[in-house]
Amino acid sequence: MGGAFSPAIGARRHVEPSRPLAASLIFLILLSGQTPALAQVGSLGGRVVDAESGQPLIGATVALIAGAGRTVRTATASANGEFVLTGVEPGRYSLVCSALGFEERRLDGVRVGDSPVALGDVALVSVAFRLNPIVVTVSREREKALESPASVHTIDREAIQERPSTTAVDHVVGTPGTDVVTTGLSQHNVASRGFNGVFSASLFVLTDNRWAAVPSLRFNAYNLIPTTNEDIDRIEFVLGPGSALYGPNVDKGVMHIITRSPLDHQESSVSVMGGERSVFQGSFRQAGTFSRTVGYKLSGLYFQGDDWKFDDPTEIVARDFDQERFQGDGRVDLRLGERGILTLNGGASQLARAIELTQIGAVQANGWTYSYLQGRYRRGGLFAQAYINLSDAGDTYTLREGDTITDNSLLYVGQIQHGVSPGERQRFTYGADLIRTIPRTDGAIMGRNEDSDAITELGAYLQSETQLSPRIDLILAGRLDYHSAIDDLVFSPRIAFVYNPRPEHRFRLTYNRALRQPETNQLFIDRLSASDLGGLPFPVRARGTPESGFTFRRDCVDSLDRTGLCMRSPFAPAVLGQPTITSLPLDATLLWDAVVGIIAAEDPQVGELLSLMAQPDAGDVSTVLKRLNPSTGGFDPVSEVLDIEPAGSQISNTFEFGYKGLIGDRLLLGVDVWYTRFQDFLGPLLVETPSAFMDTNSLRDYLLAEAQRLNLPIDQPTAAFLAATMSGIPVATVTPEQVEDSDAADILLTYRTFPDFDLWGADFGLTLELSNRFALTGVYSLLSDNFLSAADLGDQADLALNAPRNKASLSGRYGNERLGLKAELRGRWVEGFPVASGVYVGRVKSYAVVDAQISYALPISRSTEISLSAANLLTFYENPDGERVNVFSGRHQEMVGAPMLGRLLMLRLRHSF
């Protein structure tokens, strides 16, 4: 519900030139003025320092590289980290600095003329600092990643710039504990430790402290986030719950996209990318300053491509597989005094054309626009912000019905936070949030709830960080939240012990009680998913769970004097002469005439034979219940019908043990083992109202008996065929008593609250810096269960987490700043998993893919970089029989209802200036 409120790192550290360096430069100037023979050559000098501490790096190697990669001059940094290169012909060069235990750094576009050039400080990042960067998302304060009381992973700017991407999600693939599902060229669903699905909102996504989800729908549309690759400074991904600070809906992790301030980064760039499937993408970033206290940034992007094909037989509208989107973003930073920063920014993005999967079926985005305005102020420990997110669905429509989707929703947010340190060993952070969600769908999504679906959320929190001893830290946090639609206060605490036996090693033991409030859809959606069922008068409707929940009547008496469930049928008025659709006992034979009429419409002769038979009763033909499977269009057996509780606050209690440490400044090792108890979990949108059918076997026996009694030409095979046909026709729906008469026979998709259940898992990650140029990264994640059967959940319903139990990745990275060459090879394996997400039900087969990328800074212009990426370069996937694996098959599917993904080669040219 909030954001990470600490200042972004990346500000340039200014260290005053030392006196020896100044003296050296003066000497160079005098020398150049007194010696005519050297007038045609130049010189340059500077100082190599540690980017973290600002200390000089003694013995660092400095090389001046010409455009063709030829080394022109070299030098070694002195005791003060200083270096001087003399006798350099005027021209444009690259400067490469390296030191033991530090990453190489290349400065391009260094101009040397007749006069000496003073470069100032050249900061190198240590390998240890890269493996243990500054983060802000976990505690909403600046801290080292190793010191955080949660598992956090950072994708830094260098890695982001190297990878050609269509959205920011491309950069988090392979992160420990992260489930990334790709459903198209730029469509993704991301989750942490399970609970993924189509139209997913389980992950809390921020962009510069601002909630990035689409208002009211709360769907994380990553291709609508108006942030370009050039804008991003880093991405922080936090595993596990964080409600104690962030509030509701932060029970499964945080993904925070942090962009660069124009006051610190004036670099401008332009990039052009093209590739297979007619992909074209152009983007730019222009950043500068009006003065020392005012900076500005403008960025934009255009993307188009031809998405992978997919045929869904339930869709009545043809898909447009062309993708096209536009986005733009602007920002102004004002430095107010010595410590204050005011940031004003806004942006917009539009999906001109794209296909997106939702829980009621695929939609064709046609001009869907997302925009925002944001203002932030930071001064010392004070942070305050206000922003508004807006959504306009344009002419978007559903593909199963062809109905237009209207969404002009708003989200208003105001937040304030302050931190204070009364002593060296104690710090307090406290704050408050206000969120107002206003759905505006003109009845297209919220239907009859349109005038009563606004939600107000209030929250306040306090966190205490105490250093109990030099090696033990204690973090305590608590938060109170109020949700207007539930009208209840919920408390979310956090307790964490952090033990650091050595500065490079941290052990964590944490407890988090996290809160997830019902989303707008879960409470208020009221939309037809289909107007009928294959020509039968059974509309399929998605409904939010009302305050009363859904209860089923169980007081109807059938012809055998049995009391049980009630059903309602659209055939009842015509067949039984009822004025309205009223409740009937659970007896499909009551609608015999309706079934005979349907058969007669298809085959009049058979219909005439059936009309001669007497109408059976419950003693002759039994009734069975089956539930619609929206993915297949068929019906699955139902063993029991249970009431649906009101949607309320969902609670998760998580215990986690974690270790992260730097071993020898070269190996970063992370291990997290967690256990979570879920209470009042609100599941995905599922069909909850069973349909009534005549039982096949008893109907077959009855048809044979009537045929013999009436001497009709119906033998046993014919009777079996007729019974199978007639028992495949639904005659009524068991609907909750809260459903209006106008919807009495509707097949309902809604949200069920599940009984308590447990999950546990583990995440392992390591990064090994083999040298300053080679690195290996390995990741493995385990989830205890990804499917809970109805028997495990009190016979309520099956629950699929839409995520694999096992997944792993391994990557190798090479970087040579001197050559301007960088490359990465990455392999990912995902175990198959069951899916039940709205209308999409089925199974994703196991798959493994290999991705590769390479980038090269051109010798003739080191500020120009060419990059080649190959997604799904090699693909291995499970055969339909599930017993063996095809090699080099070229295609795989990552979500039910999504297309088979193939290879995607993309070439990008990027120039910085």
Side-chain angles (χ1 to χ4, degrees), residues 87 99 106 122 133 142 196 224 227 393 462 465 507 557 603 684 776 841 904:
R106 190 184 73 226
V122 180
R142 287 168 58 90
N196 209 340
L224 276 176
T227 300
L462 171 66
E465 301 170 62
F507 293 90
V557 181
D603 191 330
L776 291 175
V841 180
L904 182 63

Side-chain angles (χ1 to χ4, degrees), residues 656-798:
E656 183 168 341
F657 172 78
Y659 164 78
K660 182 173 283 189
L662 274 172
I663 302 173
D665 286 341
R666 288 288 181 179
L667 174 63
L668 176 67
L669 179 64
V671 179
D672 298 288
V673 181
W674 55 272
Y675 162 85
T676 300
R677 178 75 172 175
F678 292 93
Q679 298 174 291
D680 299 324
F681 179 81
L682 196 58
L685 192 67
L686 298 173
V687 174
E688 290 288 356
T689 53
S691 300
F693 298 81
M694 286 185 281
D695 172 66
T696 303
N697 293 331
S698 57
L699 177 58
R700 179 200 59 215
D701 295 341
Y702 178 78
L703 293 175
L704 278 173
E706 281 295 286
Q708 293 175 0
R709 182 178 69 85
L710 298 172
N711 197 26
L712 300 177
I714 298 177
D715 55 15
Q716 185 166 353
T718 303
F721 174 78
L722 284 175
T725 302
M726 297 174 69
S727 63
I729 299 174
V731 298
T733 309
V734 178
T735 53
E737 53 189 331
Q738 289 79 10
V739 173
E740 299 82 354
D741 288 343
S742 59
D743 306 334
D746 287 5
I747 296 174
L748 291 187
L749 292 95
T750 191
Y751 302 91
R752 174 177 291 277
T753 298
F754 286 85
D756 298 353
F757 61 92
D758 303 327
L759 290 176
W760 61 269
D763 303 304
F764 304 89
L766 65 85
T767 298
L768 176 61
E769 298 281 347
L770 297 172
S771 70
N772 289 352
R773 295 177 178 176
F774 290 94
L776 291 175
T777 299
V779 169
Y780 171 72
S781 293
L782 168 68
L783 186 63
S784 61
D785 293 289
N786 60 5
F787 181 81
L788 300 172
S789 67
D792 300 324
L793 298 169
D795 293 325
Q796 292 275 340
D798 295 335

